[in-house]
Structure formats: C-alpha cells, structure tokens
Amino acid sequence: MTATKKSALVVAPGRGTYGKGELGSIARLHGARSADLIADFDAQRRDRGQPTVTELDGADRFSVAVHMRGDVAAPLIYTATALDFLGIDRDKYDVVAALGNSMGWYSALALGGAVSVADGFRISNAMGLNSQTHGPGGQVLLQIVDADWRPVPGLRDSLLALIDAIASRPGHALALSIDLAGMLVFAGNEKGLAALLAGAPPTPGRDPLRLAGHGPFHTPLMVGSSEKAQAELPASLFALPVLPLVDGRGHIWRRHSSDPAMLWDYTFGHQILAPYDFALSVQVAVKEFAPDVIILPGPGDTLGGAIAQSLIAIGWQGIASKADFAARQAADPILLSMGRADQRRFVTGNE
C-alpha cells in the first residue's frame, strides 16, 4: 500500500435501500462500464422467467408493490452494490475488509471474494425469492436514541424485556431481528407484532414502523427459507475470501484460515435464523482493521445513520454524538456514501 492510499472498510447495504430516488441509477451510473456484468445478471433472471435487472431499473415509475418485493429488491440492491464496489478507485483506497447489513451479507460475500460476482448475484437473486418462504409475520423498527444519537437511558433494556415477555405468551412469536445501534428491528408473527405495537413504551424521533414487504427475517420463522437455500445453493459456490469478512455475529472470516463449508453453513443457517447484529459487526471491523474511511456503496445512503450510530456507541475516534459525527464529516469525512453524488466523486476518482 502506497503512502497516499487510505485504508477502507466497505459496508454493503440491505433491504429498503433501492427506492424511488434510485430508479434508473444502475443504467445511469454503470450501464456503459459494466454492460457485460449487467447482461450476465439479466440472463440469470431471464433463465428463471423473471423480469431482468435492466427492465426493473428502467421502469417508467417506481412501484412499491413491485420494487420493494424481495425477489425484485434483492437483485437490484446487489447489482448496485457490486458495481459500485468495482468502481472504487484502488489507486486511492486499499479495501481492508467487508461486511453487510442483513441481505447485504450476500453482497459482502462477493465483495470479499468468498463467491464470484456472478454467483453473488445468483445467491442474492435466489434469496430474494427464498426470503418470501415463511409464515405470516414481519418486522417493526423502533428508535432507541435521541435527536443527538445518544442512547435513551433504559429504553433498550425495557424493549428487550417486553420482547421476552411477549414471546412467552402462547401463540406469540417475537424476537430481536437486527441491531442497528440507534434502532432495533424486531420480527415475529402477527400476534407478536400486534402485542409489540400495543405495548411499546414511547420512543424518540419516530413512532414504531412496520416495514413494508418484510418477513420475520433473522428468526426461526424463516426455517423454510433456510432449508430452501441449503437445497438450492451448494457449498461448492464458496471459497476462501480474498478480503476478511465480518458477519452478523461480529465473527471475522479471515483470508487464510476460514473454512468455505462453514461459511456456507453460517450463511444459510444462523444468518437466516438468528439475530443480525449489524452494530457489532461495524464495531468489530473498525477496532480490528482501523480503517481511514468507511465506504458505503449504493443504492441509496440510508444505512449511513446506522453506521454513524455504531461508531458513536463506542466513541470511535472521539465521535460521541450526532454533532461530533457531523463535525468530523465536514472536516475529514470518515464515511463516504456512494449514493451521494458529493461523496461518490471522492470514491470513484472522478473529482
């Protein structure tokens, strides 16, 4: 690594990041440079009788009913993420590790070289469909930090205690799904979610939000998705990662000591059925690899807040509040979001 390069941690976004504002962005940002890869992705979709990435990205208007569905959102998000990653200027940045949020783990596998870019699309595309294989239920998002992104005293513990109490009731399934530092995502069946919405204590910033089109991800209710994935996606797709990968437990899959079979087993077992601790994965990654910057590929930049809140929770480099983070971004940005034109130009070298 030359003295002029900065070390970079890359974080792959998950569901909900390809929205109305991202429609057409794949063709606009990548159409000419990545035509062969996009054609490969399109062929994979066509072979399964599915609308292609090109068709979906090129739609006349964004449709919540279509574009937010798992079998559509997953391939669009993967495509945008993978192509953004390939566009990082490697003369300026030395990528030292990769991680992802929830569905972004499938993208991270490809970014880190544990699977090929083409097979990463195969996995993301299959899991977008498989993720719909579950019983009735979904996810609810609750904020646990104040306006300055500091934890509200006692709120996290009271919510987790409420979840345990609800889950103990007959016919109620409810559990922590994703830890986003400043926000917690809970998942369960309809009875469990209704009880949560009825009994949740006041939360700052926003009311509890039911996430549209989301299943009870990262809970045992997804066992059908796990079984389908293991039957359809063989361990032979996996190899030793080229970059270290940090998973949803904070475990590091290292380049020379990881077992591809175990990585496959985690990906289609624990990763689907147990809580995903995104905040911990970010915190472990920055402590272990001490990156100069964190790069967030597209689509969108909505995960930026959760990354910042993960850093605030451990006081990373003196960042202890939203105001601290904003000051750092203005002086010497630590987070570069490729979904933002003003920051994208620093990452791609097109300044």
Side-chain angles (χ1 to χ4, degrees):
M1 187 175 73
T2 66
T4 58
K5 280 190 179 183
K6 289 186 175 183
S7 61
L9 171 69
V10 176
V11 181
R15 286 284 293 272
T17 52
Y18 186 102
K20 184 176 180 180
E22 286 66 53
L23 187 67
S25 62
I26 292 173
R28 175 170 52 83
L29 296 172
H30 306 290
R33 180 176 57 83
S34 304
D36 290 345
L37 262 182
I38 295 172
D40 177 84
F41 298 166
D42 283 350
Q44 290 193 47
R45 294 274 296 179
R46 200 176 293 115
D47 288 347
R48 296 186 65 149
Q50 298 171 301
T52 65
V53 168
T54 297
E55 292 165 351
L56 294 166
D57 183 61
D60 292 336
R61 63 182 181 86
F62 182 84
S63 166
V64 172
V66 174
H67 289 89
M68 297 293 284
R69 209 172 61 220
D71 60 320
V72 171
L76 286 172
I77 292 167
Y78 175 84
T79 300
T81 298
L83 298 185
D84 265 5
F85 177 77
L86 294 173
I88 294 172
D89 185 347
R90 298 309 178 92
D91 290 331
K92 293 177 63 177
Y93 299 100
D94 177 49
V95 179
V96 294
L99 58 94
N101 176 41
S102 187
M103 193 214 86
W105 173 249
Y106 307 130
S107 301
L109 290 171
L111 307 189
V115 301
S116 69
V117 174
D119 283 338
F121 183 86
R122 175 182 171 182
I123 291 169
S124 293
N125 193 49
M127 292 310 299
L129 193 59
N130 291 349
S131 70
Q132 298 169 184
T133 307
H134 56 77
Q139 290 178 316
V140 168
L141 175 74
L142 294 101
Q143 184 169 320
I144 59 170
V145 292
D146 62 21
D148 205 25
W149 290 351
R150 299 176 191 268
V152 175
L155 181 55
R156 178 190 179 94
D157 289 343
S158 65
L159 280 171
L160 293 176
L162 175 63
I163 297 309
D164 288 343
I166 292 173
S168 69
R169 301 174 191 171
H172 291 67
L174 193 64
L176 177 65
S177 175
I178 307 173
D179 188 330
L180 293 168
M183 294 171 286
L184 299 178
V185 181
F186 297 102
N189 63 11
E190 294 302 333
K191 282 188 176 181
L193 294 176
L196 171 61
L197 292 172
T203 56
R206 66 168 80 193
D207 292 330
L209 176 67
R210 176 73 182 260
L211 299 177
H214 288 210
F217 304 143
H218 308 296
T219 74
L221 295 173
M222 298 300 297
V223 64
S225 176
S226 175
E227 291 173 346
K228 195 171 181 183
Q230 291 175 1
E232 179 182 359
L233 299 163
S236 59
L237 297 176
F238 287 68
L240 285 171
V242 176
L243 296 173
L245 299 171
V246 186
D247 69 21
R249 304 165 299 178
H251 174 78
I252 301 173
W253 297 88
R254 301 188 184 275
R255 288 175 288 180
H256 304 298
S257 58
S258 297
D259 182 343
M262 291 180 66
L263 184 55
W264 172 87
D265 183 74
Y266 164 77
T267 297
F268 301 128
H270 187 284
Q271 189 275 140
I272 295 174
L273 302 173
Y276 202 97
D277 198 334
F278 174 73
L280 180 62
S281 70
V282 172
Q283 293 159 359
V284 167
V286 296
K287 289 177 181 178
E288 179 72 15
F289 301 104
D292 295 316
V293 296
I294 299 171
I295 295 176
L296 174 61
D301 68 341
T302 55
L303 194 60
I307 294 172
Q309 290 158 9
S310 299
L311 300 179
I312 289 168
I314 57 171
W316 182 250
Q317 295 185 356
I319 300 171
S321 67
K322 184 177 182 179
D324 289 344
F325 177 75
R328 173 62 185 270
Q329 287 293 97
D332 179 22
I334 191 171
L335 175 62
L336 299 174
S337 297
M338 296 182 74
R340 297 175 53 125
D342 60 327
Q343 295 177 4
R344 182 184 188 85
R345 62 192 181 91
F346 295 122
V347 180
T348 61
N350 298 322
E351 295 188 44

